[in-house]
Amino acid sequence: MAKEEDFSDPRIPNRDACVLRYLVDRWAAERPEKAHVVFADGDEWTFAELQKKVRAKAAGFRELGVRQGEHVAVWLPNGPDALLAFYAINYIGAVFVPFNTAYRGSLLQHVIANSGARFLLVHPDLLPRLSEIDLAKVEQLVVTTNGEADFAPLPVTRFDSLCGDENDPLPLDRPIEPWDIQSIIYTSGTTGPSKGVLSSYLHMFSNAGPESWPMVGEDDRYMCVAPIFHIGGMGPPFVMLARGASVAMIDNFSTDEFWSVAKATQSTVVFLLGVMATFLLKAEPGPGDRDHTVKKAFMVPLTGDAPAFTERFGVDIYTIFNMTEISSPIVSEANPIKIGTCGTVRDGVEVRLVDTNDCEVPVGEIGEMLVRTDRPWAMNSGYNANPEATAEAWRNGWFHTGDAFRKDEDGYFYFVDRVKDAIRRRGENISSFEVEADVCRHPAVREAAAIAVPSEYSEDEVMVVVAPVPGKSIDPHNLAEFLIETMPYFMVPRYVRILEELPKTPSAKVMKAELRSEGITPDTWDREAAGLRVRRESFSS
């Protein structure tokens, strides 16, 4: 285990508290028999077993030629190979650079070139996509499993053969520091090329560590259903490692199997992103609703269904606001009563809501959220090989999230919209996020996207594009009548378009730019043309 270092700045934890290599060694010494990871098939790695596996694989990467500080690209689905690669790459001080398994064509070529990686670890089923693109600086492919590698355009080494001596001390050029880059995670925007977020060990630690998520402790087990190439899938193993705790790594989210898998893996904490909570609530009630071990759930965003979720499934609900680039600046208490909030500012973080000139807006008004932290290196270190995007995001010494919020008198923050997605209709500013939340309360709607489309009167009209719950159909007239009763008159969508699935980026963000460009299609239903009009309320004087 690394010698403990006391840094002069008390805001920076010791290396063995936040650097992956030293955490693996620390817990193998202090808690060798405790499980750190369990998989859906029942396989389990204790901290002692984890250390042996990681050291052997790290030695194999070193023998292959991977050096400290080098970027190693990883293109794998969730599973033991992906997790082991993540830990082994970091163990020798190299940088873990995961790619989305949905990438192909020009997007795949872009991220490979941007990564600057010489080594690419890849699943054999993905190899044919590599023959279609320029592999930039990649010199060597490492291929998992025993699948065919006939389509490999470069020399291949099998991942299983990367197995060095687990007792190799693996000396470093220098100690791995908390501010060293641990990973590059690509965020796929809905309009521009993906950007590689440079994240230090201290950024990952601050993102969901003990000070950011005090409700998660060393006795918890975090069930991770997000892919490891997202912060939501890469972060949980690391933050539970920082606690000397455990994580359940699950291949993907399944509504039908969610609670049974949680019980089988003895998970106590889950993260419900986007429509996951909606899917679970809209599933038929069953005996598994309360027959599980889950005690705490993060619901993002927090919807009006939260109390019903707690009542039905017996879990405490928390919510946060976060993104890959920052470190959970807004966190709620248990079971917040202010529905729609993201919580309040946590200790160690400063948040401002500003106008287009970075001037702070009054309480209650909408502004873009800017963030900075007291601790050095607690947020992103910029965008890889993209100084222009880095300078734009970090202008005036604050990180610009691109998200519009409002804050109430009690200090609670409420997400309004992506700045570029706001809708203005007949003098009223409308949050597409709030429209979508109301639309998704309809029992037949699985997911929704609200967009602005041109109005013949000026400004915008509101359009929603919806997808149905499996086995159900959406009647646009019925949906409109439902919304007239539940939302302000000016927010009620004029147009409804029904699709089986909403178009999404490889990181599962709805492609609103594509929907806006398609506009009012022939299959779009028009509420006003159907004779269903909404009137402003009048009041007697």
Side-chain angles (χ1 to χ4, degrees):
M1 189 168 70
K3 179 182 181 297
E4 188 172 300
E5 176 98 5
D6 289 322
F7 294 107
S8 58
D9 190 331
R11 297 169 297 176
I12 299 179
N14 299 329
R15 294 186 188 115
D16 70 349
C18 64
V19 174
L20 185 143
R21 176 181 174 121
Y22 308 132
L23 284 166
V24 168
D25 291 345
R26 172 186 175 185
W27 300 125
E30 295 182 16
R31 302 174 182 177
E33 300 307 314
K34 181 174 182 176
H36 172 55
V37 58
V38 296
F39 296 98
D41 63 2
D43 194 16
E44 179 178 298
W45 297 350
T46 65
F47 280 113
E49 292 167 336
L50 176 76
Q51 184 190 47
K52 290 179 180 179
K53 291 177 181 290
V54 169
R55 282 184 169 177
K57 194 61 66 176
F61 274 116
R62 178 69 63 82
E63 291 171 5
L64 188 65
V66 178
R67 295 293 176 257
Q68 185 171 353
E70 183 160 25
H71 299 179
V72 180
V74 176
W75 200 25
L76 297 177
N78 275 19
D81 286 345
L83 186 65
L84 184 56
F86 166 24
Y87 280 27
I89 289 165
N90 277 176
Y91 197 86
I92 55 176
V95 180
F96 177 63
V97 189
F99 294 160
N100 193 317
T101 52
Y103 285 171
R104 60 172 65 242
S106 60
L107 177 53
L108 177 62
Q109 183 168 307
H110 163 71
V111 295
I112 287 177
N114 181 266
S115 74
R118 292 191 300 133
F119 300 94
L120 172 59
L121 172 58
V122 58
H123 191 281
D125 291 351
L126 299 172
L127 286 171
R129 299 186 205 172
L130 296 179
S131 62
E132 305 166 359
I133 62 171
D134 179 358
L135 292 177
K137 295 182 180 179
V138 177
E139 301 171 0
Q140 180 82 38
L141 301 178
V142 180
V143 179
T144 61
T145 76
N146 295 318
E148 296 295 329
D150 297 341
F151 296 98
L154 290 172
V156 167
T157 296
R158 288 291 181 178
F159 186 63
D160 290 347
S161 70
L162 294 183
C163 191
D165 182 358
E166 66 187 43
N167 297 311
D168 186 336
L170 295 169
L172 298 165
D173 298 335
R174 59 170 179 78
I176 304 171
E177 302 290 7
W179 45 83
D180 286 341
I181 299 300
Q182 178 196 32
S183 60
I184 301 174
I185 302 174
Y186 283 89
T187 62
S188 61
T190 55
T191 56
S194 294
K195 299 191 289 289
V197 179
L198 294 163
S199 295
S200 68
Y201 290 92
L202 202 46
H203 178 201
M204 285 292 126
F205 177 83
S206 302
N207 191 49
E211 63 209 354
S212 308
W213 291 13
M215 69 292 290
V216 178
E218 64 181 43
D219 295 326
D220 279 312
R221 176 167 293 164
Y222 190 127
M223 188 168 83
C224 177
V225 298
I228 203 166
F229 44 76
H230 289 167
I231 185 62
M234 199 203 97
F238 180 76
V239 300
M240 298 313 278
L241 179 66
R243 290 170 169 82
S246 61
V247 62
M249 295 297 292
I250 310 303
D251 293 345
N252 51 55
F253 171 81
S254 167
T255 304
D256 295 338
E257 299 176 359
F258 185 84
W259 297 113
S260 61
V261 171
K263 180 181 178 181
T265 57
Q266 297 292 288
S267 297
T268 63
V269 180
V270 298
F271 199 102
L272 303 171
L273 185 64
V275 294
M276 292 180 184
T278 301
F279 289 176
L280 292 171
L281 267 174
K282 291 188 177 181
E284 290 296 322
D289 288 356
R290 287 269 183 152
D291 184 20
H292 55 77
T293 53
V294 177
K295 304 298 182 187
K296 290 161 278 195
F298 288 89
M299 181 184 286
V300 181
L302 184 72
T303 70
D305 294 329
F309 195 96
T310 295
E311 175 66 24
R312 176 173 169 181
F313 299 112
V315 300
D316 285 328
I317 295 292
Y318 296 83
T319 192
I320 64 170
F321 169 72
N322 199 25
M323 54 196 296
T324 306
E325 292 92 332
I326 55 180
S327 51
S328 302
I330 309 293
V331 183
S332 80
E333 70 278 17
N335 304 314
I337 61 174
K338 296 195 174 192
I339 297 302
T341 184
C342 300
T344 57
V345 179
R346 70 169 176 85
D347 290 344
V349 178
E350 293 179 80
V351 172
R352 298 173 63 222
L353 302 185
V354 304
D355 61 18
T356 55
N357 297 308
D358 282 5
C359 296
E360 199 153 352
V361 300
V363 170
E365 293 193 10
I366 296 171
E368 181 183 4
M369 178 180 283
L370 275 53
V371 183
R372 67 183 181 189
T373 55
D374 295 346
R375 170 185 284 162
W377 310 104
M379 297 206 302
N380 73 89
S381 300
Y383 295 110
N384 189 55
N386 195 340
E388 296 85 1
T390 301
E392 174 67 15
W394 277 105
R395 64 188 183 275
N396 291 328
W398 293 75
F399 182 79
H400 291 62
T401 65
D403 288 323
F405 278 78
R406 63 178 176 85
K407 182 177 72 171
D408 69 17
E409 294 286 351
D410 297 322
Y412 283 84
F413 285 79
Y414 301 81
F415 176 79
V416 175
D417 220 327
R418 290 293 293 171
V419 171
K420 65 177 181 294
D421 288 337
I423 303 170
R424 185 169 178 83
R425 180 177 185 266
R426 301 180 191 179
E428 299 281 0
N429 291 316
I430 298 173
S431 162
S432 67
F433 170 78
E434 291 176 342
V435 173
E436 290 157 7
D438 278 350
V439 171
C440 285
R441 291 193 180 101
H442 189 282
V445 176
R446 177 164 52 93
E447 55 183 343
I451 59 173
V453 292
S455 167
E456 64 265 44
Y457 304 113
S458 76
E459 295 187 333
D460 302 322
E461 288 286 1
V462 181
M463 175 174 174
V464 290
V465 186
V466 295
V469 171
K472 295 187 177 182
S473 60
I474 299 171
D475 175 6
H477 195 282
N478 173 267
L479 175 60
E481 290 181 327
F482 172 85
L483 296 175
I484 289 170
E485 297 298 321
T486 61
M487 61 170 46
Y489 74 93
F490 59 85
M491 290 175 60
V492 177
R494 173 176 173 179
Y495 299 105
V496 178
R497 183 183 178 197
I498 302 169
L499 300 175
E500 286 303 310
E501 295 285 342
L502 302 188
K504 297 184 179 68
T505 70
S507 61
K509 294 178 182 177
V510 175
M511 299 175 69
K512 289 190 176 181
E514 178 177 314
L515 295 174
R516 278 192 291 264
S517 69
E518 292 173 353
I520 303 168
T521 57
D523 62 345
T524 299
W525 180 82
D526 181 350
R527 173 175 52 78
E528 294 192 359
L532 192 59
R533 294 182 176 271
V534 182
R535 302 292 185 188
R536 181 197 299 264
E537 291 182 356
S538 60
F539 299 92
S540 59
S541 57

